[in-house]
Amino acid sequence: MTNSIANQVKILRKAKGVTQEEMGTALGLSYQAISKWENDATLPDIQMIPKIAEYFGISIDELFGYKLNALTNKERFIQFMKNNQILCLKKCELKYGGTAEYYINTENFNTNSQIAKIGEYFADCIRENHLEFDTLIGLAYHGIAFSAATATALFNKYGVTVNYCYDRKEPDSRGRMICGHSLQDGERVVIIDDVMTTGTTLEQRIEQLKSKADIVVGAVIVIVNRKAQIDESGEDRIRKKYGVEVYSIITDEDINAYMR
């Protein structure tokens, strides 16, 4: 192992806040093995390299010190979506008119690793935009899984604790439309959903949430903000009515640029 990789493991371990013993236990090794790696005394078995990268939540290239500047974060996310058949590069008819060169199939988020990854992207978006809020809300149905993964990533990756809840399209047996944290008047919330086009559905759901408590919607975050062939975009609609900024991990323009 080169000195740079030895230093990388030591830096990552300390940044994660774990001891050599704890890291060794997680990887099924002794703390002496970790110590030898960090002191550049031995090489890890090649089969351990992916496990080390996964343990620290980085790519193998990054473990070896390569930043892969050829791809931006958005391009990496698009590639992740494409590789997992969530982004389908195929012409389709849009529900609100016109055609597009791709469609998003959020049904293909079907493994824990995929959900964990999308949660990290949402959490990174929250941190990068310095969003301050009290409660994270997921919108049924796909937004429930994405928001839960986001809440987990916020705590595991950034040490941030927030309230969490999700809404329902139909009341449960007790008549509840919101599960988890009980919304309170004056709370500032961030809403998580999958895809936004016209904003009509989102507006209805916000009104439903506001009927339960006089909340302040600080931001809405979606995977992609699609541009339908209509006079007013969903983003503009929500911004005008609630004064809310809509953030998207990627946009139509990002996907089109990637395909080019």
Side-chain angles (χ1 to χ4, degrees):
M1 185 187 290
T2 66
N3 287 329
S4 61
I5 301 175
N7 289 335
Q8 183 84 326
V9 170
K10 184 182 296 184
I11 291 170
L12 289 168
R13 177 180 61 76
K14 290 184 177 180
K16 193 176 177 72
V18 296
T19 65
Q20 291 178 338
E21 289 86 350
E22 290 170 330
M23 180 178 171
T25 299
L27 297 176
L29 301 168
S30 66
Y31 79 90
Q32 291 95 335
I34 308 301
S35 177
K36 288 179 181 179
W37 293 353
E38 293 185 358
N39 289 295
D40 201 24
T42 61
L43 285 165
D45 187 279
I46 192 169
Q47 293 180 337
M48 290 302 303
I49 297 298
K51 294 181 180 179
I52 297 170
E54 182 180 8
Y55 179 70
F56 290 122
I58 61 175
S59 68
I60 293 175
D61 301 273
E62 289 167 331
L63 180 63
F64 278 83
Y66 298 105
K67 191 63 178 174
L68 291 180
N69 290 325
L71 291 180
T72 66
N73 285 336
K74 288 187 175 183
E75 287 169 338
R76 291 188 194 182
F77 179 68
I78 293 171
Q79 194 169 72
F80 159 73
M81 298 271 284
K82 178 175 174 289
N83 290 344
N84 288 278
Q85 290 78 52
I86 298 159
L87 169 62
C88 304
L89 302 180
K90 182 179 179 181
K91 182 170 286 189
C92 65
E93 298 288 332
L94 294 176
K95 181 179 179 181
Y96 301 99
T99 61
E101 299 299 319
Y102 73 92
Y103 64 93
I104 303 291
N105 185 0
T106 50
E107 297 293 339
N108 282 343
F109 277 104
N110 50 30
T111 68
N112 60 344
S113 61
Q114 291 170 338
I115 294 296
K117 198 70 175 176
I118 190 65
E120 285 195 15
Y121 279 107
F122 273 111
D124 291 344
C125 180
I126 288 172
R127 297 293 288 180
E128 288 167 4
N129 290 286
H130 309 290
L131 301 182
E132 295 184 2
F133 59 100
D134 305 299
T135 303
L136 192 67
I137 303 178
L139 297 186
Y141 289 104
H142 295 105
I144 295 176
F146 300 155
S147 60
T150 303
T152 302
L154 280 173
F155 179 76
N156 287 340
K157 190 171 183 178
Y158 296 108
V160 174
T161 299
V162 295
N163 300 317
Y164 171 73
C165 63
Y166 60 90
D167 77 344
R168 299 173 59 91
K169 291 187 176 181
E170 299 291 338
D172 65 8
S173 59
R174 298 181 184 178
R176 294 176 300 184
M177 293 297 293
I178 299 175
C179 298
H181 170 71
S182 297
L183 295 174
Q184 305 294 319
D185 291 347
E187 282 189 344
R188 191 172 182 84
V189 306
V190 166
I191 294 174
I192 299 286
D193 205 6
D194 55 355
V195 179
M196 186 176 75
T197 307
T198 66
T200 303
T201 301
L202 178 59
E203 181 181 346
Q204 294 170 350
R205 306 293 282 282
I206 290 177
E207 289 300 314
Q208 177 178 296
L209 291 169
K210 290 177 75 67
S211 71
K212 303 300 179 183
D214 187 19
I215 57 173
V216 177
V217 182
V220 174
I221 310 177
V222 295
I223 294 175
V224 60
N225 182 11
R226 303 211 66 167
K227 304 296 184 183
Q229 295 181 355
I230 52 179
D231 294 335
E232 184 179 53
S233 71
E235 180 178 0
D236 290 338
R237 179 189 188 122
I238 298 301
R239 184 185 295 115
K240 286 180 181 178
K241 181 158 187 177
Y242 302 105
V244 172
E245 194 66 37
V246 177
Y247 298 90
S248 59
I249 300 175
I250 52 175
T251 64
D252 278 341
E253 289 78 8
D254 295 325
I255 296 174
N256 291 331
Y258 176 85
M259 290 192 294
R260 287 196 298 271

